[in-house]
């Protein structure tokens, strides 16, 4: 084999119809709509969710920046982290330029960069809540302030915008922020030996380091990871010094330290506890820093958290967060389907984590989970119209229950226009617009193709990989590879865990290759090569580990990476009356008219006759009154796009 | 048939070993212990329950009365209704004198009556919270004040104490209270057109009317029932006039009007909504007043609430209240087993309601539900040692879940010493000590024997009924009736709904009698008569209406009135791994060594092998790995008297 030059990925053009519809939807609907919202020009109804706290219906996000920039007067409105709505939107817009150049939008975003630069303090600080209304409290209540979280989101946006447009100002705002943070935080005398209540700055500084090569940013990220939890009373001491009852987010003072992953040093934490989004953002930062520094303790923590989340605390859809209280993880194998949280942002963050783990190790499971999030748990956060969003993604929902049982009041059964805490819509938008960055992982002379989203990818030395398919509806994956100049390189293709068997043809010839940690590898030496991979797209009846009480005796239906759900729109309610046998006959067809085109699964079921209302609640068991019927299942991500009704992923068996 | 004189019940001596153990336990353990607690002499640990609100560990209940009486100085401590702990305890003590005369205790209770009399204001008012710390706010925030609730509990105690001891002062405190309330409430000019946020005064005034014959007390009770909800904004108006943020019980202001059954007039309310204890206390008051006044609207409301609760909102154990939020009902057929409330007080209140409905109509269902509460949902509130209590009675519990999932943190898996809001222990004590009053209902010339708790009952005209049995373990019920003077009377015996078949012998001769609304009737003309009733005590596999999602596909085991539960103490956890077929073989034996003597049921089950920890959470369905095992079930009321572990009533099938 030639010792070839190191391979770099230069560009990926997504050609998948499935994803391009979403990507255009973000450009056509999500970005303009969110821009209006942030400018208080949209007529929105904020969801009745616990995040709302009776706040104003308007976002005020741009207004806050204008006030901080001296262009307007007034008070700050919204959450202390309101600025991040703008930054995540900006980041999504930056990515969109890569596939949909848009001069009008670019005028807006360039002006926005100017506004942000004007809002930034001379020392690099930028958090409009504190600048406008509480300058004397800067960095004094980090448990609740979200200052580093907020600046971290700008740093991500600034790096992305610079990469997309070359706008130097966008990057320099980010480096000035990072310098400001570096001046204030650390173990040196006079610095704050602390960290933010919400992880984010760690991954943001890593991205800034990746872009600029400035090592102090990596060191600072590393410091934040190491320092976390070293003094479990750090937040309490700050809260007391700042005035105990002077809370920024009322009630946060009383949350357990595990909520913030601040009860003990990360390397000592055994399980993934606390606020799910915080956990996966933290893990993403850990994975970055572990890769850049070789810190083995952090890498072990990455593995420990990954395994705990993926093998003990994740829903089959990829959603995470079993309770609304603290939007948090609970305990191993506790996965209730109807009172869960499963925040969209947490699935987005899990995608970040998986992508970074792929950068460390060529392990198929990381690609499996990334795929699971992309086609299920994360994607379900947005309606097919791009205008309605889920914060909470249940696996079992019932409008009557959400209305009638307070323990389920956080579970919406129709996506809302917007949220008081609007983290999820923009977070999902930036994932969708950057999905091209999630398809390949390049390491030395190896290219890993771990996602089956059609694309044309260009590498250095003239390497091109053209992947065409109708995934996720078809498992026929075609690769056309050009390698005119490079000599030999290694191509790894992920064999998904859901495809126990597969067929492979290389240059039209059937080949059998060993699966190593979820990948098959081939050496590409020819100038041109076709690969045809046929994945097993048979419909699978899935069960959960029987350690999961909530899914015991139940069946979920999966085809390829797509998890299916039964909806009242297709099946007579109540949906729990259907029994599905694990050997039930199924049929699949693609319906291009339904839900923007989805694969539909019909499954043979038995439906019990509904008992009459008002009779004795409890009676001796009688012979069942089942009637054979077909159940219709649709992809989980596409639920709640029709009439409001019941939905369930786990079917009674 | 002779037109005989009206029959009166004079005395019932309980001879049931089962119940006498509990009744003596109350005398020996509960009453002395609670007296210590109320005097702040017990070293108690208050349960970590949402009711505690970080309050002082001590009760202060007697101290509050002493301060109000001018015997001590200081502030009021505890809930505004703290006085009711004393009154319910006093009521329980009064009943205990009927079967366990106790001169030492009577000295204490006589002195307590003197203390209460001293604490009472000249105008009859008595609520120590307001007397001590907020006299200017009397009757000004009825939504939260519990003033009429508090006085209602005294009135019940005062009537009971007078009936038990002849203490005139005890009764006169009650009539002075009622007069005070009558002076302040009503639709006349200058009176408050309101009612209490917590129903209780309605049933208390009815009992006072029943004792004294003073019609204005009945009229006042009737007024409170009619006025409730007439002006749905009544509480809000009072709250605003009293100072909106000046809450007595923080957060109560924000509860929905249905929590207080104050959203609309009772006669317009279609479903049993809101705080479950409030509902059943209200229903009890309605049933009293409907009976005494013949108010048909109220009687219809009684039927409507009864049917909604019993046929749509009651657990198989008799527990009610499906959510911890507001300790409330949710919606029809919403009966989650693991996040439920099922407050002990609500089951006690349901017993009150059932008893009053029996006074109106000879319908077996009222006796069925009363029996269900006595042997299951209410009784489970107290440990076998009489020293530990449940506030919440789940049908499925797991210590790991209660600790790890915030949505279940209210579900204790071991009974607590005491509670910050200590309503349940004393409430259950007064039910147990007065259980003799729940066995017969007499109407004209008809005696209904609707409970199978062994007893010797004495009526006027020399009628005696001696009932002997080993219920609930045996279904052989023996009656010995003496009727030397009365001529003919009608005896109704309840055939429980769980006993579809039964054998009856009258004077040794097998008889077949029609069951009319749950009762068989016989005319007793002989001077002496034996009746032998053999009820069907076979073990029954029960199912819930399939409108109840939480119980769908599950089986509960019942024998006689007793609902059974599986506990980790007898069965390897996790308990959800057991499959029980509806035709599974069962065996029953009485174990006099276990749990103070219980009937034990063994049921043939199949147990799945627990999946290994840490493997893939989701996999294609595999053939099951069931092993046949015997499950051991114990009566639900006796759970949580051994090691802390899982429990479940509804078994997977």
């Amino acid at each position: 084999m030639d010792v070839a030059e190191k391979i770099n990925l230069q560009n990926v053009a997504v050609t998948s119809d499935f994803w391009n519809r979403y990507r255009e939807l973000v450009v056509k609907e999500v970005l303009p709509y969110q821009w209006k919202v942030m400018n208080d020009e949209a007529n929105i109804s904020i969801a009745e969710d616990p995040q709302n706290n009776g706040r104003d219906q308007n976002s005020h996000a741009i207004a806050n920046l204008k006030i901080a920039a001296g262009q307007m007067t007034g008070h700050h409105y919204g959450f202390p982290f309101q600025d991040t709505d703008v930054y995540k939107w900006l980041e999504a817009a930056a990515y969109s330029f890569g596939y949909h150049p848009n001069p009008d939008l670019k005028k807006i975003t360039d002006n926005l960069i100017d506004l942000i630069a004007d809002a930034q303090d001379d020392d690099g600080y930028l958090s409009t809540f504190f600048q406008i209304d509480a300058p004397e409290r800067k960095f004094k209540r980090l448990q609740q302030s979200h200052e580093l979280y907020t600046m971290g989101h700008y740093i991500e946006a600034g790096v992305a915008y610079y990469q997309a447009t070359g706008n130097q100002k966008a990057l320099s705002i980010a480096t000035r922020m990072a310098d400001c943070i570096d001046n204030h935080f650390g173990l040196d005398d006079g610095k704050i030996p602390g960290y933010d209540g919400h992880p984010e700055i760690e991954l943001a500084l890593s991205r800034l380091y990746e872009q600029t090569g400035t090592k102090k940013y990596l060191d600072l990220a590393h410091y934040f990871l190491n320092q976390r939890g070293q003094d479990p009373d750090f937040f309490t001491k700050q809260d007391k010094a700042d005035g105990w009852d002077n809370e920024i987010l009322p009630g946060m003072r009383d949350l357990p330290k595990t909520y913030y992953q601040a009860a003990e040093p990360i390397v000592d934490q055994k399980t993934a506890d606390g606020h799910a989004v915080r956990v996966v953002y933290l893990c993403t930062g850990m994975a970055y820093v572990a890769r850049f520094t070789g810190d083995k303790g952090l890498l072990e923590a990455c593995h420990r958290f990954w395994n705990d989340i993926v093998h003990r605390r994740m829903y089959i859809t990829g959603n995470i967060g079993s309770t609304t209280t603290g939007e948090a993880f609970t305990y191993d194998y506790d996965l209730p389907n109807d009172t869960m949280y499963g925040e969209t942002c947490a699935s987005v963050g899990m995608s970040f984590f998986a992508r970074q783990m792929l950068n460390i190790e060529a392990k198929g499971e990381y690609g499996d989970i990334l795929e699971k999030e992309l086609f299920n748990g994360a994607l379900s956060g947005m309606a097919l119209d791009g205008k309605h969003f889920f914060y909470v993604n249940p696996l079992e929902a019932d409008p009557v229950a959400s209305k009638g049982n307070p323990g389920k009041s956080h579970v919406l059964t129709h996506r809302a226009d917007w949220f008081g805490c609007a983290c999820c819509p923009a977070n999902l938008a930036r994932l969708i617009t950057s999905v091209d960055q999630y398809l390949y992982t390049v390491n030395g002379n190896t290219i890993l193709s771990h996602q089956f989203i059609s694309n044309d990818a260009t590498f250095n030395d003239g390497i091109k990989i053209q992947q065409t398919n109708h995934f996720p509806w078809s498992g026929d994956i075609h690769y056309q590879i050009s390698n005119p100049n490079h000599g030999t390189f290694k191509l790894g293709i992920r064999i998904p865990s859901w495809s126990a068997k597969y067929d492979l043809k290389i240059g039209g010839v059937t080949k059998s290759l060993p699966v190593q940690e979820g990948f098959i590898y081939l050496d590409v030496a020819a100038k041109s090569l076709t690969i045809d991979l046929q994945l097993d797209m048979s419909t699978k009846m899935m069960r959960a580990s029987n350690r999961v009480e909530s899914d015991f005796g139940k069946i979920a239906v999966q085809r390829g990476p797509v998890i299916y759900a039964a909806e009242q729109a297709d099946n007579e309610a109540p949906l729990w009356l259907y029994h599905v046998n694990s050997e039930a006959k199924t049929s699949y067809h693609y319906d291009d008219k339904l839900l923007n085109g989805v694969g539909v699964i019909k499954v043979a079921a038995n439906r019990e006759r509904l008992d009459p209302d008002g009779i004795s609640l409890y009676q001796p068991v009688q012979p069942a009154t089942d009637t054979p019927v077909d159940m219709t299942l649709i992809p989980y991500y596409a639920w709640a796009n029709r009439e409001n009704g019941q939905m369930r992923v786990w079917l009674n068996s």
Side-chain angles (χ1 to χ4, degrees), chain A:
Chain A
M1 194 199 311
D2 300 355
V3 177
E5 213 183 316
K6 190 167 179 284
I7 297 176
N8 291 311
L9 179 58
Q10 291 176 334
N11 185 59
V12 179
V14 171
T15 55
S16 155
D17 287 348
F18 183 95
W19 282 97
N20 279 344
R21 201 193 71 79
Y22 277 104
R23 284 155 72 84
E24 288 304 319
L25 201 59
V26 172
V27 171
K28 284 193 194 121
E29 296 291 348
V30 183
L31 293 178
Y33 178 70
Q34 294 189 358
W35 178 247
K36 266 197 201 165
V37 168
M38 295 189 300
N39 282 279
D40 308 327
E41 291 163 1
N43 185 14
I44 56 171
S45 69
I46 290 185
E48 286 177 33
D49 76 316
Q51 299 301 321
N52 194 14
N53 288 329
R55 282 181 175 76
D56 188 299
Q57 289 287 98
N58 282 326
S59 156
H60 296 275
I62 297 294
N64 291 333
L65 282 164
K66 286 185 179 164
I67 296 166
Q71 299 174 13
M72 273 174 63
T73 55
H75 282 285
H76 181 277
Y77 276 94
F79 285 96
F81 48 83
Q82 203 80 351
D83 302 351
T84 62
D85 290 357
V86 180
Y87 304 152
K88 279 189 276 193
W89 177 86
L90 176 63
E91 190 182 342
Y95 298 137
S96 78
F97 295 148
Y99 62 90
H100 191 119
N102 189 335
D104 290 343
L105 181 59
K106 183 148 180 301
K107 230 174 264 169
I108 290 172
T109 51
D110 280 344
N111 287 339
L112 178 59
I113 294 293
D114 292 339
L115 172 62
I116 294 169
D118 287 348
Q120 188 172 31
D121 282 350
D122 289 342
D123 69 351
Y125 183 95
L126 179 42
S127 170
T128 62
F129 172 78
F130 288 92
Q131 291 169 291
I132 297 170
D133 284 336
E136 73 291 354
R137 295 176 73 188
K138 286 178 183 172
F139 297 142
K140 292 206 170 133
R141 206 180 188 106
L142 292 159
Q143 182 193 57
Q144 311 181 0
S145 73
H146 289 75
E147 287 159 287
L148 307 187
Y149 169 84
T150 299
M151 288 193 259
H153 270 300
Y154 177 79
I155 292 170
E156 286 202 87
V159 169
Y161 199 74
Y162 171 75
Q163 290 171 344
T165 67
N167 184 318
Q168 191 66 50
K169 201 184 215 177
L171 186 63
S172 109
I173 296 168
T175 55
R176 290 177 59 216
M177 272 181 192
D179 295 341
C180 169
I181 296 167
D182 190 47
N183 288 335
H184 282 90
F185 286 85
L187 296 177
D188 299 342
D189 274 0
K191 288 189 170 180
I192 304 162
Y195 42 89
D196 198 276
H198 197 314
E200 155 68 21
I201 190 66
E202 303 81 359
L203 78 90
L205 287 168
S206 301
R207 291 184 69 177
L208 189 61
Y209 162 72
E210 203 172 24
Q211 174 60 44
T212 63
T214 308
K215 182 149 181 301
K216 73 171 176 181
Y217 301 147
L218 176 62
D219 292 343
L220 186 57
H222 205 174
Y223 154 79
F224 280 127
L225 294 171
N226 284 337
Q227 187 60 10
R228 199 163 198 93
Q230 293 291 351
D231 175 4
D233 292 326
F234 170 75
F235 286 148
T236 307
K237 287 177 195 162
Q238 269 211 329
D239 287 355
K240 285 186 178 157
D242 185 49
W244 184 243
D245 289 327
N246 197 13
E247 288 211 279
I248 295 167
L249 291 165
M252 284 206 94
R253 179 184 72 187
D254 306 318
L255 289 166
K257 294 179 181 105
T258 49
Y259 173 84
Y260 310 95
Q261 301 80 49
E264 55 188 343
I266 292 169
V267 293
D268 295 331
Q269 292 179 28
K270 297 209 166 37
T271 48
D273 294 322
H275 184 250
V277 174
R278 280 173 169 78
V279 170
V280 290
Y281 277 29
L282 182 68
C283 288
T284 305
M286 291 198 299
Y288 266 116
V289 174
R291 173 161 60 101
F292 292 142
T293 65
D295 184 326
K296 284 189 180 155
L298 281 184
L299 182 60
E300 273 173 33
C302 287
H303 286 141
R304 204 164 55 240
F305 278 72
W306 177 274
N307 287 331
D308 194 40
I309 295 170
V310 170
H311 296 165
R312 299 183 186 91
R313 300 187 175 197
M314 180 177 276
Y315 290 87
I316 194 169
T317 50
N319 292 106
I320 49 176
S322 296
T323 177
T324 179
T325 307
E327 308 170 342
F329 290 107
T330 55
Y331 59 94
D332 287 347
Y333 302 105
D334 182 42
L335 294 163
N337 295 303
D338 54 346
T339 58
M340 59 180 286
Y341 208 67
E343 186 176 340
T344 302
C345 278
S347 280
V348 171
M350 195 69 206
S351 309
F352 299 160
F353 183 25
R355 180 186 172 204
Q356 289 313 315
M357 291 309 289
L358 278 164
N359 279 330
I360 298 177
E361 298 165 314
K363 211 173 140 183
E365 188 175 71
Y366 302 130
D368 289 345
I369 296 299
L370 173 54
E371 179 183 76
K372 191 184 265 296
E373 299 295 0
L374 289 176
F375 285 98
N376 302 281
L379 200 57
S380 70
M382 191 165 84
L384 295 177
D385 65 5
K387 294 180 194 173
H388 299 86
F389 303 92
F390 272 143
Y391 202 99
V392 172
N393 295 278
L395 271 72
E396 181 182 328
D398 183 347
V400 178
S402 291
K403 182 163 176 280
N405 188 314
K408 300 178 186 174
S409 62
H410 63 289
V411 178
L412 301 186
T413 54
H414 56 275
R415 292 177 183 80
D417 281 5
W418 199 250
F419 292 94
C421 172
C423 52
C424 295
N427 224 348
L428 184 55
R430 65 177 178 143
L431 178 65
I432 291 171
T433 52
S434 64
V435 79
D436 50 286
Q437 301 182 17
Y438 288 77
L439 309 186
Y440 293 94
T441 303
V442 181
N443 193 351
N445 201 32
T446 302
I447 297 172
L448 296 179
S449 167
H450 48 73
Q451 299 301 318
F452 305 105
I453 294 174
S454 300
N455 68 86
D456 293 345
T458 311
F459 301 80
N460 57 339
D461 281 354
I463 300 172
K464 284 179 198 268
I465 300 180
Q466 190 179 51
Q467 200 195 125
T468 47
N469 60 52
H470 298 288
F471 198 77
W473 314 123
S474 158
D476 296 342
I477 314 292
H478 178 76
Y479 288 91
Q480 182 65 49
I481 298 168
S482 304
N483 179 31
N485 313 318
H486 186 74
T488 302
F489 70 91
K490 201 184 270 281
L491 177 65
I493 299 175
R494 184 177 127 256
I495 302 301
S497 62
W498 46 261
S499 182
K501 50 179 198 256
Y502 66 96
D503 285 316
L504 180 71
K505 282 190 186 133
I506 299 176
V509 180
T510 299
K511 280 264 181 184
S512 175
L513 292 174
V515 180
Q516 298 168 262
E517 292 269 27
F519 284 90
I520 52 169
Y521 290 93
L522 51 154
D523 293 320
V524 180
K527 304 263 179 245
S528 169
L529 186 69
T530 61
I531 303 172
D532 287 288
L533 176 66
Q534 210 175 355
L535 297 170
D536 174 14
M537 296 299 279
S538 60
T539 298
K540 300 273 194 329
M541 300 298 205
M542 303 295 289
R543 70 185 276 268
S545 162
N546 64 20
R547 290 176 180 259
V548 181
E549 181 183 7
S550 305
D551 301 337
F552 187 76
K554 295 179 183 164
I555 281 172
V557 177
Q558 178 169 4
R559 183 178 178 279
V562 178
I563 304 298
Y564 277 75
E567 265 199 311
Q568 192 172 339
D570 302 305
N571 306 281
E572 190 186 344
L575 297 180
W576 65 78
L577 291 185
Y578 295 79
H579 294 279
V580 174
N581 190 293
S582 63
E583 279 140 32
K585 260 182 85 166
T586 64
S587 67
Y588 170 85
H589 71 280
Y590 181 79
D591 185 341
D592 62 358
K593 301 244 171 3
L594 188 66
L595 298 164
N596 286 313
V598 289
V600 175
I601 291 175
K602 301 260 185 193
V603 55
N606 281 296
R607 186 175 192 280
E608 279 194 21
R609 191 171 53 210
L610 185 64
D611 286 328
D613 177 41
I615 59 156
S616 280
L617 257 178
Y618 306 104
Q619 302 210 19
V621 177
Q622 303 278 325
T625 55
D626 290 6
T627 311
V629 289
D630 269 355
M631 264 196 125
T632 299
L633 308 181
I634 55 142
Y636 172 74
Y637 74 79
W639 86 276
N641 279 289
R642 293 175 292 174
E643 70 218 51
N644 196 10
Q646 290 181 4
M647 181 279 295
R648 60 193 296 142
V649 168
W650 289 100
L651 310 174
N652 286 321
S653 67

